[in-house]
């Protein structure tokens, strides 16, 4: 966290930052490793959203206006049938009165947010980025006046630090090493039974900026989102074809598995996007993953002086209401605040820096937010991808009724003055930054 850097400039910490394939090191202070390691900053990816407390964190970091300037121009979510006929439309909710609004107040591209954070920390003068390296192993040692994490990197480099923070995503290597034999890594994952793929394609005349969703028989859906005139972002969701996707290792193999799964399906613009998947160079940014949540037991976000952050600790996945990025920012803010608090205490008392206490308090404060976002039954999530043509029509019909009822309510309420709810920080203001406007 940028706000914590002044208080932690000279301490030894080891930190892994969310999804960005490089080591992040405030001079002899913070280190993070990727999984897998990359040769450069990975500033790609799809659309992410920030809500409420996540927006306040960007405000305290001094980047809210910069992020808002890169806001995606998405007017809302549109359900269409295989002919492209609209069956339901949910506009972005700027009043806070909508019962359902998939498009959140602040939607940005992942790559834009990565670049903003990278430039912010890089300019601070206390951060080194080390590429093509990752944590190979670590051990924790405790003794009189000594509580250290000894780390070995993939290039053979060894060092010791006061705290190791793993923010290396849903397939976290840090989590695997931390859990050891106490809890198999696989047990932390809650499989949602869906594969989701993302890729970029060239736009065409007539493409809208709506988040467009078309359900197809066979437990499949094709979706598009658009953040700039020249490109369109394509999402492919499927409840089938897992063996081929599980077996895929290369970009070509993933493309073939997805093509075989979707080619010829009765869906909106399927032929166009299957052609783009195979032949458009933009589609080489394809990313495919099996949808899972990370649900560690209470007290499981840390072990000694090793603590997990973001998706590595608490990935909410799609059923979390689109709060993954917001949750990562909240977690980083609270963890930074608790680390800073414990460091100041150690300076005042002369006692050792109690990283373990910081990690436990961070989990206590943040876990309730995640719990409220991840309790939806899996069967409800899977209903969103119906198997039969009748099921597809049922989803579209229900969406249409909900959208119409919501629009009627919002139209009625629009005759009244809109009172915008002021955002208030729901966590301690560790750095006296007073995020109100």
């Amino acid at each position: 966290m940028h706000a914590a850097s002044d208080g932690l400039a000279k301490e030894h910490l080891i930190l892994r930052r969310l999804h960005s394939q490089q080591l992040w090191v405030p001079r002899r202070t913070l280190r993070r490793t990727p999984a897998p390691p990359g040769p450069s900053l990975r500033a790609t990816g799809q659309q992410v959203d920030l809500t409420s407390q996540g927006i306040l964190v960007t405000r305290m970091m001094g980047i809210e206006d910069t992020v808002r300037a890169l806001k995606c121009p998405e007017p809302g979510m549109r359900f269409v049938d295989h002919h492209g006929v609209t069956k339901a439309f949910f506009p972005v909710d700027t009043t806070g009165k909508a019962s359902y609004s998939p498009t959140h107040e602040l939607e940005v591209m992942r790559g834009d947010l990565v670049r903003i954070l990278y430039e912010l920390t890089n300019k601070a003068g206390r951060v080194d980025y080390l590429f093509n390296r990752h944590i190979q192993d670590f051990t924790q040692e405790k003794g009189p006046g000594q509580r250290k994490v000894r780390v070995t990197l993939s290039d053979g480099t060894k060092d010791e630090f006061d705290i190791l923070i793993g923010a290396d995503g849903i397939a976290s290597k840090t989590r695997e090493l931390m859990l050891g034999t106490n809890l198999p890594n696989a047990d932390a994952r809650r499989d949602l039974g869906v594969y989701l793929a993302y890729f970029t394609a060239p736009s065409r005349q007539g493409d809208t900026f709506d988040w467009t969703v078309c359900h197809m028989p066979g437990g499949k859906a094709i979706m598009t989102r658009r953040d700039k005139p020249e490109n369109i972002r394509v999402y492919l969701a499927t409840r089938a074809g897992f063996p081929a996707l599980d077996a895929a290792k290369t970009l070509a193999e993933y493309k073939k598995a997805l093509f075989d799964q979707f080619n010829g399906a009765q869906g909106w613009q399927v032929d166009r996007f299957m052609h783009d998947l195979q032949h458009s160079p933009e589609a080489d940014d394809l990313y495919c993953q099996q949808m899972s949540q990370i649900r560690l037991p209470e007290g499981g976000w840390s072990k000694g002086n090793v603590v997990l952050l973001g998706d590595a600790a608490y990935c909410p996945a799609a059923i979390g209401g689109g709060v993954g990025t917001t949750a990562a920012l909240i977690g980083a803010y609270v963890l930074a605040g608790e680390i800073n608090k414990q460091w100041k205490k150690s300076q005042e008392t002369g006692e050792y820096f109690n990283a373990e206490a910081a990690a436990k308090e961070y989990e206590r404060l943040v876990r309730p937010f995640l719990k409220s976002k991840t309790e939806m039954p899996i069967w409800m999530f899977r209903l969103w991808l119906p198997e039969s043509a009748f099921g597809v029509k049922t989803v579209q019909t229900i969406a249409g009724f909900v959208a119409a009822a919501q629009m009627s309510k919002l139209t009625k309420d629009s005759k009244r003055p809109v009172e915008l709810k002021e955002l208030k920080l729901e966590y301690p203001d560790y750095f006296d930054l007073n995020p109100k406007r």
Side-chain angles (χ1 to χ4, degrees):
M1 288 291 300
H2 173 62
S5 61
D6 290 342
L8 295 172
K10 297 179 181 179
E11 291 71 65
H12 300 297
L13 304 176
I14 185 161
L15 177 72
R16 296 181 71 176
R17 188 165 58 82
L18 183 64
H19 287 171
S20 49
Q21 297 193 349
Q22 68 279 319
L23 292 171
W24 185 34
V25 188
R27 311 281 182 203
R28 284 286 305 153
T29 304
L30 305 179
R31 294 195 181 181
R32 73 81 62 201
T33 67
S40 61
L41 188 74
R42 188 169 74 85
T44 56
Q46 299 298 320
Q47 204 161 308
V48 298
D49 38 50
L50 298 173
T51 61
S52 185
Q53 300 301 297
I55 294 173
L56 286 182
V57 173
T58 65
R59 184 176 301 172
M60 290 187 288
M61 294 176 75
I63 60 172
E64 181 186 5
D65 291 340
T66 305
V67 173
R68 286 188 180 277
L70 296 170
K71 178 180 177 180
C72 296
E74 183 173 281
M77 173 190 273
R78 186 178 305 277
F79 285 61
V80 301
D81 64 15
H82 65 280
H83 295 297
V85 177
T86 298
K87 296 297 181 180
F89 180 68
F90 297 90
V92 60
D93 177 32
T94 57
T95 68
K97 295 182 178 182
S99 57
Y100 181 63
S101 180
T103 298
H104 290 95
E105 175 188 354
L106 186 52
E107 305 259 356
V108 296
M109 296 306 294
R110 179 197 171 279
D112 288 336
L113 185 58
V114 165
R115 279 187 287 267
I116 290 171
L117 294 172
Y118 173 75
E119 291 171 4
L120 176 69
T121 52
N122 207 27
K123 289 178 180 177
R126 300 190 181 102
V127 180
D128 290 336
Y129 284 85
L130 308 179
F131 298 95
N132 276 333
R133 279 170 254 191
H134 63 275
I135 291 178
Q136 191 71 37
D137 198 7
F138 64 81
T139 59
Q140 299 195 62
E141 296 188 8
K142 293 186 178 181
Q146 179 182 4
R147 301 204 173 192
K148 300 292 184 181
V149 183
R150 297 184 181 277
V151 179
T152 302
L153 299 180
S154 57
D155 63 352
T157 302
K158 296 183 178 182
D159 212 333
E160 63 177 30
F161 305 87
D162 290 318
I163 185 170
L164 164 63
I165 304 173
D168 45 339
I170 194 169
S172 170
K173 177 67 173 178
T174 308
R175 184 178 66 242
E176 180 181 343
L177 292 169
M178 186 191 83
L179 294 177
T181 59
N182 293 333
L183 176 69
N185 198 35
D187 289 354
R189 299 181 69 140
R190 185 192 187 206
D191 177 28
L192 301 178
V194 174
Y195 254 101
L196 189 61
Y198 321 77
F199 66 92
T200 303
S203 62
R204 294 183 182 179
Q205 186 174 3
D207 287 341
T208 71
F209 282 87
D210 295 327
W211 179 358
T212 305
V213 181
C214 177
H215 294 87
M216 296 175 280
K220 291 177 282 191
I222 191 166
M223 300 173 281
T224 62
R225 305 179 86 169
R226 191 178 178 194
D227 58 286
K228 57 182 63 176
E230 63 270 25
N231 290 330
I232 194 165
R233 316 291 179 169
V234 184
Y235 298 61
L236 303 174
T238 177
R239 289 175 55 188
F242 280 29
L245 289 165
D246 284 338
K249 302 297 182 185
T250 66
L251 177 63
E253 290 171 346
Y254 273 111
K255 286 188 175 185
K256 183 181 186 305
L258 289 167
F259 180 84
D260 291 343
Q261 181 67 14
F262 283 85
N263 189 42
Q266 189 182 39
W268 167 76
Q269 298 202 49
V270 169
D271 291 344
R272 166 193 171 182
F273 293 125
M274 288 302 99
H275 179 273
D276 289 333
L277 177 64
Q278 288 190 309
H279 302 292
S280 296
E282 293 93 334
D284 287 348
D285 68 351
L286 174 69
Y287 180 77
C288 187
Q289 66 175 357
Q290 188 170 345
M291 299 292 288
S292 301
Q293 290 180 316
I294 297 300
R295 304 182 75 175
L296 290 165
E298 189 168 344
W301 290 7
S302 63
K303 182 179 179 182
N305 287 26
V306 179
V307 57
L308 303 173
L309 176 65
D311 281 356
Y314 45 73
C315 176
I319 67 173
V323 298
T325 303
T326 290
L329 287 175
I330 292 172
Y333 167 73
V334 173
L335 181 57
E338 292 300 326
I339 289 173
N340 190 53
K341 185 168 69 175
Q342 288 297 328
W343 180 259
K344 286 183 176 179
K345 182 179 178 181
S346 72
Q347 296 294 290
E348 293 169 357
T349 64
E351 298 177 354
Y352 67 86
F353 165 60
N354 196 336
E356 189 171 357
K360 294 301 181 186
E361 184 65 5
Y362 138 76
E363 178 175 350
R364 187 188 72 80
L365 290 170
V366 177
R367 182 179 278 273
F369 172 78
L370 271 299
K371 185 176 176 61
S372 69
K373 301 295 183 181
T374 57
E375 291 302 313
M376 184 184 295
I378 292 177
W379 64 265
M380 291 184 65
F381 179 73
R382 290 175 179 171
L383 279 179
W384 192 72
L385 294 173
E387 294 284 351
S388 66
F390 174 77
V392 170
K393 289 184 179 180
T394 300
V395 168
Q396 293 170 345
T397 301
I398 293 174
F401 279 128
V402 173
Q406 179 169 283
M407 185 58 68
S408 176
K409 178 182 182 299
L410 292 178
T411 301
K412 181 180 179 180
D413 288 346
S414 67
K415 299 176 183 179
R416 307 171 186 172
V418 176
E419 296 181 4
L420 295 179
K421 183 179 179 181
E422 183 176 355
L423 293 177
K424 294 182 179 180
L425 184 64
E426 297 175 2
Y427 302 94
D429 188 359
Y430 294 103
F431 309 104
D432 296 323
L433 293 173
N434 189 20
K436 292 183 180 180
R437 272 189 170 177

